[in-house]
Amino acid sequence: MTEGKYNIKAVSTLTGIQPGTLRAWERRYAILEPVRNEAGHRLYTEEHIRKLKWLSEKVQQGFTISQAAALLDQHEDTHTSLQHVETSQHEALSEELLQALLRFDEVKAQELINKAFALYTIDNVTINILASLLVRIGTLWEEGKITTAHEHFATSILRARIGMVMHSFPHNGVLPKVVAVCGPDEWHEVGLLIFTLFVRRLGYEVVYLGASLKEGDIFTVLQTVKPRFVFLSCTLHQNLEPTLQLAEDIKETYPDMHIGVGGTATTGPIPEHAGQYIVGTTQSEWSEWMNSRL
């Protein structure tokens, strides 16, 4: 079973359904079965959020909650079938796009990316196709299965399209500013790019700095931008300690800023005092981390 990530307050914020209403729906219609943590508090999964948004939409369309609940099972069967079809289509299109990139065929690659955007939502294409391909290409290069030339060519095209999408999202002037940058001696931007895309999609204005900056430059940026959030990406374990130290230095200089550290290097053992900085590796964990600090 998928682990619960959201408390009832976060679910209410994400779905617009009041906590009392949520409890009533669970009790009367057995719609959801949230797990409970050690303190006995309800914890909800991404799947619960999806179901609740669907139910809320049906109620807004004029259905009673009992009618919506009765329709839910039928919807879930259809949703599962469609998911299988869509996954298969994604895989086929992604594979075709990968082969075009490895042939250095930019025209065909751009044609396939345009096709993906015509078929699927912006979020779906950027996260499930383009960003996933970036990760896959990086893995192929690290395993020696493609050349550096292949990696540079494919990455430049995919990053450019993701960047175009990222900058097209409108930002909410009410939300605080965010600075995103790789940690010291970190040059792999894929994880940071995906995280930034996620944050931009939520409406935050993000100053994306990319690969590692020269020592001290980050403080110049922070003094100018004055963000509420600073995110540091770390993929190599040997760079984790310097990245966490940078987080400490930023916190000491700007105690009101929220500093987050993410990336594959954070999945291992973390010093206890640094746990506050770890944002997690999934979108649900990122949401939970940010919501708890707003």
Side-chain angles (χ1 to χ4, degrees), residues 222-233:
L222 298 181
Q223 179 61 33
T224 303
V225 177
K226 296 179 174 58
R228 178 78 176 277
F229 290 97
V230 181
F231 291 102
L232 306 172
S233 175

Side-chain angles (χ1 to χ4, degrees), residues 52-230:
L52 286 168
K53 287 182 176 179
W54 187 88
L55 289 166
S56 178
E57 181 182 340
K58 290 302 175 188
V59 170
Q60 291 174 18
Q61 290 173 356
F63 290 89
T64 66
I65 182 56
S66 60
Q67 291 170 332
L71 290 171
L72 183 61
D73 287 340
Q74 180 181 345
H75 168 74
E76 289 303 295
D77 289 340
T78 303
H79 176 77
T80 300
S81 298
L82 290 175
Q83 274 189 319
H84 288 310
V85 172
E86 187 169 281
T87 298
S88 178
Q89 291 174 336
H90 275 179
E91 291 174 349
L93 198 152
S94 294
E95 185 62 31
E96 191 176 359
L97 176 55
L98 174 64
Q99 295 308 315
L101 291 169
L102 296 183
R103 293 194 308 271
F104 302 100
D105 189 345
E106 182 173 359
V107 173
K108 183 62 175 179
Q110 297 290 5
E111 177 187 313
L112 290 169
I113 293 172
N114 292 337
K115 178 181 178 181
F117 279 117
L119 290 173
Y120 309 116
T121 64
I122 290 177
D123 290 354
N124 206 331
V125 176
T126 50
I127 296 295
N128 297 329
I129 296 179
L130 302 186
S132 294
L133 261 185
L134 265 177
V135 174
R136 186 177 173 189
I137 287 166
T139 301
L140 289 172
W141 176 75
E142 289 172 358
E143 294 175 348
K145 295 179 179 178
I146 61 174
T147 68
T148 301
H150 288 104
E151 190 271 341
H152 284 3
F153 176 80
T155 299
S156 66
I157 290 178
L158 295 173
R159 283 187 55 200
R161 291 303 294 262
I162 292 175
M164 288 172 60
V165 172
M166 189 166 66
H167 292 293
S168 71
F169 288 127
H171 67 265
N172 185 340
V174 176
L175 294 174
K177 292 183 179 180
V178 176
V179 165
V181 63
C182 290
D185 296 321
E186 283 284 326
W187 310 104
H188 296 285
E189 298 180 50
V190 174
L192 185 69
L193 196 63
I194 295 172
F195 178 82
T196 302
L197 183 66
F198 166 77
V199 177
R200 284 294 300 264
R201 195 174 55 191
L202 296 178
Y204 289 85
E205 180 182 356
V206 184
V207 177
Y208 180 81
L209 302 177
S212 178
L213 300 180
K214 187 171 68 176
E215 185 176 354
D217 283 0
I218 183 63
F219 291 95
T220 301
V221 175
L222 298 181
Q223 179 61 33
T224 303
V225 177
K226 296 179 174 58
R228 178 78 176 277
F229 290 97
V230 181

Side-chain angles (χ1 to χ4, degrees), residues 183-186 232-248 261-271 273-274 277-278:
D185 296 321
E186 283 284 326
L232 306 172
S233 175
C234 185
T235 59
L236 301 177
H237 288 285
Q238 63 262 35
N239 294 331
L240 182 57
E241 185 176 343
T243 300
L244 293 174
Q245 184 58 56
L246 178 57
E248 293 277 4
V261 179
T264 54
T266 65
T267 58
I270 299 293
H273 72 277
Y277 301 124
I278 306 304

